[in-house]
Amino acid sequence: MTPTNYPVPNGTLPFWRTDPHLLDNHRSSETLPQESDIVIIGAGYAGSSVAYHILSQTEPGSKPPSITILEARQACSGATARNGGHMKPDLYNFISTLENDYGVAAAAEVAAFEARHVHEIKEVIEKEAIDCDYEVTKTVDAQFSEEHFDKLKTGISHLIAGGCKPTEKVQIIETEEAQSFSGVKGTVGCFVSDAGHIWAYKFVLHILEKVVSLGVNMQTNTPALKVSKSATPSVSHPWEVETTRGSISAKVVVLATNAYTSGIAPQYQDIIVPVRGTCSRIVVPPGSNAHRLTKTYILRFNSSEYDYLIPRADGSIIVGGARSSFFSDKKSWYDVSDDSKVLEAAIRYFDGYMQRYFVGWENSNAYTDRVWTGIMGNSSDGLPHVGEVPEQEGQYIIAGFTGHGMPQIFFAAEGLAKMIVGGTSFEETGLPRLFKTTSSRIGLRQEAKA
């Protein structure tokens, strides 16, 4: 990895990581294995999910492939443990853009794939008995711009007319009822749909605990520096993964590196860009008269600026966004890999937030308990890159989720595992066609720069 695109050792402490799991700094062995069938770089939502699905798809009675997971810092210390825990599928916003660019069939694939996560993740959590505070609820997308509200309504109509089934489930709350329905001051309209919220760190660490118990070798605090063809390649393990603690040979390498992908795979330079995001926890004092939130929220101020909120069982509120406070200073957030600093303007943004926007919270005495930052991997076209890295047989990628990975990653990892374990083609995995990483998606961008 290049020095400018590399996880720093001292990231800010998010609320989600204030009670570290026993595997937080785990190393399955004192030294790295000399070789491993599969090396997964990244122990977050993506890396853990890929390992889980590989083992789940191994035929009963068959010996599973050897898997090593490398993590630059602690387990699940990157974007997954720094987001807002919002499992909100997009059924009409970016989906409308995709419909305009690629047609309704391709857009509908993405919408259905994301919607699947809300309820099927709950089934996985129940099956695996994962304690991660997951709740399925409704989300309220409160609009402050009449122009954008009308644009989204028009997009919804087009999507439904074109046969996009997931969009049919979106409820539209018009201006007359919007504030009383949502409890959000000044909203000109709302969209309501199914969503969930989750303690993602706990989900990932439970998954990691399971795969480690099944023989996966996890090595935290082991940054991967370079992936290349071995100088003396074997037929079975042609890849060499260089780390700060030595090298490991692999048959298959999975880049679950999101924002940090281009440091290992230079062909993704400017294709997946590290972007700083900001999140906070707002606390309500005991005895407060605040109206308890039961839904998740998006507060959408215009086409590009929005915040998101999830309520916690302990009464606190997780709020992410604050983009308007720093968006004009592009160098402070774009192509930035350092999550050890929080922008001062973003810290101040959350003060009095609930009092400012929510009816009945004026005298709540709610206050900002903690603000942290995380590094997202924004793709140049807004779509994730999943599949075999072009012209790099045996090297796979699951990255570039543009701050929207919660309703995309788990089952994207399932599809990727099908490719790795069974040799399934991308087209046969059930993954949305637009997620496939291809030479044209990379090459077109590179040609535009020339």
Side-chain angles (χ1 to χ4, degrees):
M1 291 184 177
T2 62
T4 57
N5 190 13
Y6 190 81
V8 298
N10 56 336
T12 53
L13 181 65
F15 162 73
W16 309 114
R17 286 184 46 82
T18 51
D19 184 19
H21 189 277
L22 289 173
L23 294 185
D24 198 59
N25 284 289
H26 179 77
R27 288 179 178 173
S28 300
S29 57
E30 187 175 342
T31 59
L32 291 180
Q34 289 187 338
E35 65 178 32
S36 185
D37 292 332
I38 301 168
V39 172
I40 299 171
I41 304 175
Y45 188 18
S48 62
S49 297
V50 170
Y52 173 84
H53 286 297
I54 288 173
L55 294 178
S56 298
Q57 292 174 24
T58 301
E59 290 291 334
S62 300
K63 182 181 179 182
S66 58
I67 302 173
T68 300
I69 299 177
L70 303 176
E71 172 55 52
R73 302 186 294 196
Q74 303 87 3
C76 194
S77 57
T80 305
R82 297 172 181 277
N83 66 25
H86 201 184
M87 187 74 73
K88 181 190 182 299
D90 184 347
L91 307 181
Y92 52 86
N93 189 27
F94 184 54
I95 296 298
S96 289
T97 300
L98 296 180
E99 188 266 336
N100 289 332
D101 292 345
Y102 305 103
V104 69
E109 286 178 5
V110 176
F113 184 78
E114 293 190 13
R116 173 189 175 195
H117 278 70
V118 174
H119 297 283
E120 291 194 29
I121 284 283
K122 183 176 177 62
E123 294 175 9
V124 172
I125 289 168
E126 291 173 349
K127 172 190 171 187
E128 300 290 352
I130 304 175
D131 178 11
C132 61
D133 296 357
Y134 187 64
E135 291 189 26
V136 174
T137 182
K138 295 292 184 181
T139 187
V140 177
D141 188 345
Q143 305 288 314
F144 288 88
S145 164
E146 290 185 7
E147 180 182 0
H148 194 59
F149 182 46
D150 291 340
K151 179 182 177 181
L152 290 180
K153 286 194 293 183
T154 300
I156 287 173
S157 296
H158 286 167
L159 286 163
I160 292 174
C164 185
K165 294 295 184 183
T167 309
E168 295 177 1
K169 298 181 180 180
V170 178
Q171 179 185 3
I172 300 174
I173 308 296
E174 297 288 354
T175 302
E176 298 76 18
E177 304 172 55
Q179 181 168 301
S180 60
F181 176 86
S182 66
V184 178
K185 300 176 184 178
T187 178
V188 301
C190 303
F191 303 102
V192 183
S193 56
D194 287 351
H197 55 91
I198 189 171
W199 193 319
Y201 173 80
K202 288 187 175 182
F203 176 85
V204 169
L205 266 295
H206 186 104
I207 294 296
L208 288 173
E209 187 173 14
K210 174 166 184 172
V211 299
V212 167
S213 73
L214 294 174
V216 169
N217 189 310
M218 184 169 73
Q219 297 286 330
T220 63
N221 302 294
T222 306
L225 303 174
K226 184 180 179 182
V227 177
S228 59
K229 285 292 181 71
S230 174
T232 55
S234 68
V235 174
S236 60
H237 293 74
W239 291 102
E240 193 79 10
V241 181
E242 182 183 340
T243 81
T244 54
R245 298 173 52 230
S247 296
I248 178 171
S249 299
K251 177 188 294 185
V252 168
V253 176
V254 178
L255 304 176
T257 42
N258 208 31
Y260 306 103
T261 298
S262 65
I264 290 178
Q267 60 269 55
Y268 290 93
Q269 183 73 37
D270 296 333
I271 305 301
I272 300 176
V273 180
V275 171
R276 174 185 276 143
T278 305
C279 203
S280 70
R281 179 177 183 247
I282 294 175
V283 171
V284 184
S288 172
N289 61 358
H291 177 67
R292 189 177 181 88
L293 302 186
T294 58
K295 303 178 181 70
T296 71
Y297 286 81
I298 297 286
L299 302 191
R300 200 176 300 276
F301 305 104
N302 50 52
S303 60
S304 61
E305 295 178 358
Y306 65 92
D307 298 331
Y308 59 90
L309 296 78
I310 71 163
R312 293 265 310 122
D314 61 10
S316 65
I317 311 291
I318 303 296
V319 185
R323 195 175 184 187
S324 63
S325 69
F326 57 79
F327 186 69
S328 60
D329 183 14
K330 189 174 181 180
K331 68 178 185 300
S332 72
W333 60 272
Y334 185 81
D335 202 12
V336 172
S337 300
D338 184 353
D339 58 12
S340 69
K341 302 172 185 176
V342 180
L343 299 175
E344 188 63 31
I347 296 175
R348 294 194 300 270
Y349 178 85
F350 297 107
D351 291 341
Y353 188 93
M354 299 303 295
Q355 294 91 327
R356 197 157 63 239
Y357 291 116
F358 283 83
V359 175
W361 284 73
E362 294 82 0
N363 300 312
S364 65
N365 296 317
Y367 64 93
T368 306
D369 170 67
R370 184 185 299 267
V371 181
W372 61 90
T373 193
I375 307 301
M376 301 173 286
N378 282 20
S379 75
S380 56
D381 59 9
L383 292 159
H385 285 260
V386 183
E388 191 167 43
V389 176
E391 302 180 8
Q392 302 292 331
E393 184 180 356
Q395 191 176 135
Y396 295 83
I397 185 171
I398 176 168
F401 290 95
T402 315
H404 191 60
M406 291 310 302
Q408 294 178 336
I409 288 174
F410 189 74
F411 291 112
E414 180 185 52
L416 191 68
K418 291 178 182 178
M419 298 175 68
I420 295 169
V421 174
T424 305
S425 70
F426 182 95
E427 289 69 24
E428 295 172 321
T429 62
L431 291 168
R433 71 190 80 170
L434 298 180
F435 285 13
K436 185 177 182 180
T437 190
T438 63
S439 296
S440 62
R441 283 183 70 191
I442 300 172
L444 287 172
R445 176 69 178 176
Q446 292 173 335
E447 289 168 10
K449 289 172 59 185

